[in-house]
Each structure stands twice: as structure tokens, then as C-alpha cells.
Amino acid sequence: MQVKLALPKGQLQDETADLLKKAGFNVSDYTEGSRSYRPQCSGGSGLFLKVFHEKDIAIQVAIGNYDLGICRLDWVEELLAKYHSEAVVKVRDLGYGRRNIYAVAARSFGFSSPEAWRNHNDSLRIVSEYPNLAEVFALKQRLRRFQIFPVWGSAGVYPPENAELAIIAEASSRKLKEQGLIPVVPILESSAYLIANRDSLERKDLRRLLASFSTGEAVKSYVKETRVAVASFEAQHSVVRGSSVYLALPDGHQQRHAVAFLNKVGLKIEGYNVGRAMSRPCTDLEGVTVKVIRPQDMPQQIANGNFDLAITGRDWLRDHLYRFPSSPVDEVFGLGFGKVRIVAVVSNDLRASSTDDLRKMKKDSALRVASEYVNIADKYAHDNHLAPYKLIPTWGASEAFLPEDADVLIENTETGSTIARHNLKIIDTLFESSGCLIGNTEAIKRPGKKDKIAYLVGTMRKGLEASCVS
């Protein structure tokens, strides 16, 4: 009997590896920073292991692709908040990776209690990686009007200018206060959990395996709702908007390219350094506010009017415009760095060397197309007549989905080496992408902003042209 176990990538890896070792499983190539998505478990345990982003694990267990999974409780509750399924069973609290989900407001804004939110006449903007939990929270708080803005991460940087509230995860309220945030309401206490697919529990004898993961702690339910507000609230300040120009800079892989570019064109942004970037870097440009957010979020945030300019990739701009063709977001000019190809990838074991081969394949079920680029993947499958097909959104570690959990992957690659290392092959190139400056087409023309935006854009363009000549 084979049992499929989904393991978390990133922050929980080392402690999960220790747990597996204590449980008697000899697992190789599973440590933080490891590039393997398929750790090997020796000793005839019958375990098939695969590494995913935490958010994907709850989904994979819910749909039955995996019998067991380890991820934090917050991602399970995020899934169940929208999809009230009995397919996921919360088996055991594993006792590590603890963090809380808080509703937070900026220290410089007057939302220190739920009563202040309920009395707010305008629509409250709530930003979060947990849009389903955020909606449940807003409804239970009986907010009059609210808007939920889903983001990939860095939600704490949006208040107060771009959102009144954020629903975010943090290890302690002290760390939130260090970021200039007030934890107004604790929503959920979370930690690493062992979860199971209910059908697998009924069909397979998992008792011995589950016993191996026992930590001696009782299973706990960590959903704790409270209306108790934080007693202390620091001095309130008015937030001046309107004429300020908001510039979004990328974190992650594009950060080193963006840092080098800004240095090259002579724009000084203090606190925006490779490896360690402040969420709110400082600039000596008057009337310009800089924030660091995920490149994936930038087109949507520009469209919403939360930012005026942003440095992102053409891939994320195109993914956004495929869904919202009339969006007020446009490329200002290309920056030339961070060049990647957006490609269609399959397993080496699949007898297909082109998209045409995929189209001709006899399919007993829908072709599973996985990607972080949901809209690009959808257009690729639709335009190439790959019907029937099913889209599988991913949140990173996408190579891990092939071949067991997806048939085709739409992914970005710089050299193709990572794809080859995971026994995968490229069968098509959709387009090439690189860094670009994008802007809100309405803000660029707005009095009070257009001169500052024109100065920023002009400085970047001249610096780029000068560096190309030299």
C-alpha cells in the first residue's frame, strides 16, 4: 500500500525533517534550501513524498491527490472558509511553526477597535493573503461596506495609504508593532498540522503511520474569535493622499535586478538592498512614497489605484491583461533585465514533444494544466484547443506538480536547467519576458501627480539610455 504525503517547502522544512526523523523515517534531501521536490524515504515504508508550497498542500489533500499533508492550520482554514468540505481532516497539532493571524491597522490611522470600523461610512479596504478568512472576518464583524484585495504576500505594507486593514500572519504582536502596525483583533492561532484526506482514512489503514507522528499533544482547534481590542493605541495622524506618487518595487528574484537598475540611473532608495529590503524604503524625492511588494501583485494594485508606478515583469502584466483587457495599466517602457521565457513543460516520460502532440493525445480525462500564471495558462490551453482541460493554480514550487498532479506546467525559466534537473522538458515557448516599468494610465495624467511621475519616468529612461550607450 502506497501512502502519499505532501511536505511543506520553506520555513517549516527543518522542523518537519526533524519530525520525520523522530518518527523513524529515513528521508534524504529534505532540508531548507533543498531543490529536490521528491525526497526519498528508504526502509520500505511505502511512503511517496513530494514538496509543495504550504498553501497548495491543503488543496492537494482536499481533492485527494495526497493522503496526508503537513502545513500550517491557517492554510487549511483559508480553504475551508470558502469550500466547506469534509474531505480534509485535521488530524494532529504538531507543535511547531506557531504564528497568529491578526486583523491589523496602521499605527498612524484611527482604526483601533472594531467599533471604529463599523462606524466607518466609506467602504473599508481589507488586504490579505487570506481573502476567504478576510471575508469571513468582515461579515462576522458586521462591517457595513468592505472590499477584499487578495495579494500574494507583504500585506502589512499596504495600510494605511492603500488599505485600512490587513489580515496577516505573524509570530507575535510585538513584531507587528515593530512594523508600525497595531494588532487590533486576533483571528486565528496557527501551527503546523498533520492533515488527511477523509476518503484515504476510510480506504487505507493509516493507523501505524499516524501513530508515528504522535507528539503527545492533544488535537487542538485553534479558531479563536474575539472582539477584544488592543488597549493601547499610539497617537493618530492623518494620512495625506492625493498628490503623493506611490512607487512599488519588487521583492524576491527581481529585487537584485531592480536594485542594480535604480543605482545605475541614480535614484537613491535607502533600505532597498539585496537580501534585506525594508517594506517601506526611504527616498529623498519629495512627494514620492516607496513600498516593496510582490511583483505578482503589482498590475492589480496599479489598476486599483493603490500605486502609480511599479517595477515588475512583462509576464505578470500580461497575465493581468489577459483577464482584464481594459485595465488602466500599461507598460511605460522596458527595463531589459530579468529576462526569462514563459514555457510549456511536461514530464520526460510523457510522449509529447510539442503542443501539437498534446492536442492529438487521446485523453480519458481533462488535461491538467498547472501554473502560477492562471490567465496565461488558460489562454494557452484555449488557443491551442487542448479541450477538455482543467486549470490548477499553484503558489510556487510548481515543478513538483509534474507528472503525478498535473500533465502540463506553464512556467518561467532563465536557462532551463532547473526544469531539466527535475526530469522535465520544454515543449513550447509562449513568449519572452523581462522587467518593465508599468503605470496607471489615469494617474499619469492627473494634475498634482503627472509632473512628479514624469520626473521619475524621465530619470529612469535617461539613466537607462545612458547606461546602454556606455
Side-chain angles (χ1 to χ4, degrees):
M1 177 189 72
Q2 186 186 61
V3 176
K4 299 176 74 175
L5 171 62
L7 298 175
K9 181 179 184 290
Q11 295 176 346
L12 295 182
Q13 266 188 259
D14 284 346
E15 289 174 292
T16 302
D18 289 341
L19 174 70
L20 293 169
K21 185 176 181 181
K22 290 174 183 176
F25 299 110
N26 186 14
V27 178
S28 61
D29 206 13
Y30 180 63
T31 54
E32 188 172 355
S34 170
R35 295 190 174 185
S36 172
Y37 293 127
R38 290 175 177 77
Q40 298 299 309
C41 185
S42 59
S45 63
L47 266 182
F48 174 82
L49 307 177
K50 195 183 275 192
V51 181
F52 292 96
H53 186 287
E54 274 191 74
K55 188 169 186 176
D56 287 320
I57 290 176
I59 298 169
Q60 290 295 308
V61 171
I63 63 180
N65 283 350
Y66 285 79
D67 305 301
L68 299 170
I70 294 175
C71 66
R72 285 189 181 94
L73 182 64
D74 45 29
W75 294 121
V76 180
E77 297 296 345
E78 167 67 9
L79 174 68
L80 297 180
K82 184 172 183 180
Y83 302 101
H84 304 289
S85 169
E86 295 184 354
V88 180
V89 178
K90 292 173 273 189
V91 178
R92 183 169 292 118
D93 173 21
L94 298 175
Y96 60 87
R98 297 195 181 281
R99 65 184 184 188
N100 300 322
I101 309 298
Y102 297 94
V104 305
R107 187 169 54 209
S108 57
F109 213 60
F111 283 98
S112 59
S113 71
E115 288 71 27
W117 308 339
R118 296 190 195 104
N119 294 328
H120 188 63
N121 293 323
D122 296 329
S123 181
L124 276 171
R125 299 166 299 168
I126 306 174
V127 64
S128 185
E129 285 182 83
Y130 306 91
N132 301 331
L133 287 176
E135 184 174 7
V136 170
F137 165 79
L139 292 171
K140 289 191 175 182
Q141 292 293 328
R142 297 174 182 162
L143 301 183
R144 294 179 183 176
R145 296 169 59 204
F146 61 88
Q147 294 173 284
I148 306 294
F149 295 101
V151 296
W152 285 64
S154 304
V157 77
Y158 289 85
E161 301 93 343
N162 314 118
E164 282 73 47
L165 300 175
I167 309 297
I168 64 175
E170 191 52 85
S172 68
S173 59
R174 177 183 57 81
K175 290 190 176 182
L176 290 171
K177 292 174 182 177
E178 290 173 358
Q179 301 169 48
L181 300 171
I182 296 294
V184 183
V185 173
I187 297 173
L188 174 72
E189 292 183 13
S190 180
S191 60
Y193 252 72
L194 178 66
I195 61 174
N197 177 272
R198 185 175 295 278
D199 187 53
S200 296
L201 289 176
E202 294 173 354
R203 288 188 301 104
K204 298 182 178 182
D205 185 359
L206 302 178
R207 287 175 295 179
R208 291 184 62 184
L209 181 59
L210 294 177
S212 301
F213 287 103
S214 176
T215 61
E217 292 191 20
V219 176
K220 299 178 181 179
S221 173
Y222 274 113
V223 182
K224 295 182 179 179
E225 296 170 38
T226 178
R227 295 184 181 181
V228 179
V230 175
S232 61
F233 183 71
E234 298 188 26
Q236 300 177 9
H237 303 280
S238 60
V239 178
V240 179
R241 305 183 68 190
S243 63
S244 293
V245 171
Y246 290 93
L247 170 66
L249 299 178
D251 63 2
H253 297 304
Q254 280 202 352
Q255 185 185 333
R256 62 185 177 89
H257 298 297
V259 169
F261 167 73
L262 292 169
N263 288 336
K264 189 182 298 182
V265 302
L267 285 176
K268 189 175 182 182
I269 312 289
E270 294 203 6
Y272 187 61
N273 306 310
V274 176
R276 288 184 62 187
M278 296 169 58
S279 59
R280 295 167 178 267
C282 299
T283 176
D284 55 4
L285 296 171
E286 187 178 351
V288 176
T289 299
V290 182
K291 292 187 180 182
V292 178
I293 65 173
R294 298 287 175 90
Q296 299 95 316
D297 290 322
M298 289 179 177
Q300 184 66 52
Q301 295 302 317
I302 289 281
N304 291 341
N306 286 338
F307 293 89
D308 303 301
L309 297 170
I311 292 176
T312 185
R314 284 184 172 130
D315 46 0
W316 292 114
L317 176 61
R318 186 173 296 194
D319 190 70
H320 172 78
L321 292 176
Y322 278 167
R323 184 177 180 187
F324 306 106
S326 60
S327 177
V329 182
D330 201 3
E331 178 178 327
V332 180
F333 59 86
L335 301 174
F337 58 68
K339 293 180 180 179
V340 295
R341 290 182 295 150
I342 308 304
V343 295
V345 178
V346 299
S347 168
N348 275 323
D349 299 329
L350 189 69
R351 294 182 178 179
S353 56
S354 68
T355 300
D356 192 48
D357 290 341
L358 288 180
R359 186 166 47 248
K360 294 175 181 177
M361 285 173 54
K362 292 182 179 180
K363 298 185 280 289
D364 297 326
S365 58
L367 191 75
R368 301 166 300 170
V369 184
S371 185
E372 293 180 80
Y373 305 104
V374 175
N375 304 306
I376 291 172
D378 188 28
K379 191 173 190 302
Y380 165 79
H382 179 270
D383 290 353
N384 287 285
H385 309 288
L386 300 182
Y389 65 91
K390 179 171 66 174
L391 290 174
I392 303 173
T394 70
W395 299 85
S398 302
E399 294 92 347
F401 281 77
L402 297 179
E404 297 88 359
D405 310 302
D407 304 302
V408 185
L409 172 66
I410 305 301
E411 180 66 308
N412 67 66
T413 183
E414 204 168 345
T415 64
S417 59
T418 301
I419 289 170
R421 186 167 56 247
H422 291 291
N423 193 35
L424 307 175
K425 60 185 177 184
I426 297 170
I427 61 167
D428 200 357
T429 296
L430 282 63
F431 60 90
E432 294 185 351
S433 175
S434 59
C436 63
L437 180 69
I438 64 174
N440 184 293
T441 55
E442 297 169 359
I444 288 173
K445 304 172 186 176
R446 191 172 299 151
K449 283 197 175 195
K450 65 179 183 180
D451 290 343
K452 295 174 187 174
I453 291 175
Y455 174 78
L456 268 175
V457 171
T459 301
M460 291 184 187
R461 193 188 294 274
K462 287 178 184 176
L464 185 64
E465 290 171 352
S467 64
C468 290
V469 171
S470 60

